Amino acid sequence: RFRADVRYGLNVGHISHEFDGTWKVEHLGKGAAINAQAIVVATGQHRTPRSHQLETLAGFEGRVFHSSELHEDEWLCAMEAAKEGQLLVVGFGNSAADVATTILRNIDAHSPGAGAIHVAVRRAPAIVRRPNGPVSLEAFASVVRKLPSAAADRVSSLLMRLHFGAG
């Protein structure tokens, strides 16, 4: 849509701003340096995948994989499982939500069991609309992040009740 030349997984050695206003990205590995009008460095707060070995999976015969391992075969496997109502997404952070919505958009809505993705979470995800008031969501999150989990859950629940009303 934007005709952007997006590059993933570069091991960048140096970035410099050139006199002509472009950026020069020197990467360690194959090829020459890249010149660009703009750059985005998006490593993310949670760039290192975390996967837990669950004892309850010991007898499970299906496939288990982390969202960071989703390549063509895994996507096809996940979409097949969703068509049959047999897909479980554990957690509901950004990656899990992206995986679930991408699969739902790409499976045939008329398949038996289509749209039946099961989600397992420890607690309900805190989904909060971006406030229109004087405090940004980012500022609120930076304060709540420093609280113990139980206190952060109570503060977030209170905010949701105030914002959306009692459910």
Side-chain angles (χ1 to χ4, degrees):
R1 169 173 159 185
F2 296 106
R3 299 175 206 256
D5 181 12
V6 179
R7 311 280 177 98
Y8 297 98
L10 290 181
N11 188 359
V12 175
H14 184 75
I15 299 173
S16 58
H17 200 227
E18 302 295 296
F19 291 110
D20 64 359
T22 62
W23 294 91
K24 182 177 181 181
V25 180
E26 296 173 25
H27 57 95
L28 308 171
K30 303 177 211 161
I34 301 166
N35 291 314
Q37 295 294 318
I39 58 171
V40 175
V41 178
T43 59
Q45 179 177 354
H46 304 291
R47 66 185 174 272
T48 304
R50 283 191 346 200
S51 197
H52 300 287
Q53 298 302 322
L54 303 174
E55 291 176 19
T56 55
L57 288 176
F60 181 68
E61 295 178 10
R63 291 182 64 181
V64 177
F65 40 85
H66 189 274
S67 62
S68 65
E69 300 167 328
L70 281 171
H71 302 291
E72 187 175 354
D73 288 348
E74 289 79 14
W75 276 108
L76 293 172
C77 176
M79 286 193 282
E80 261 324 293
K83 285 179 188 176
E84 298 169 13
Q86 297 294 315
L87 179 65
L88 173 65
V89 174
V90 178
F92 212 69
N94 291 340
S95 296
D98 287 345
V99 166
T101 56
T102 299
I103 289 170
L104 287 173
R105 278 195 307 266
N106 287 290
I107 61 174
D108 180 3
H110 303 293
S111 299
I117 293 179
H118 305 277
V119 178
V121 293
R122 277 183 290 180
R123 58 184 168 267
I127 300 173
V128 180
R129 234 184 271 175
R130 290 197 177 269
N132 296 325
V135 179
S136 73
L137 180 60
E138 289 79 10
F140 174 78
S142 69
V143 171
V144 171
R145 182 177 330 167
K146 296 173 184 169
L147 297 173
S149 294
D153 288 346
R154 285 193 297 275
V155 169
S156 296
S157 293
L158 175 63
L159 176 69
M160 288 190 283
R161 279 196 305 280
L162 291 171
H163 192 74
F164 297 109

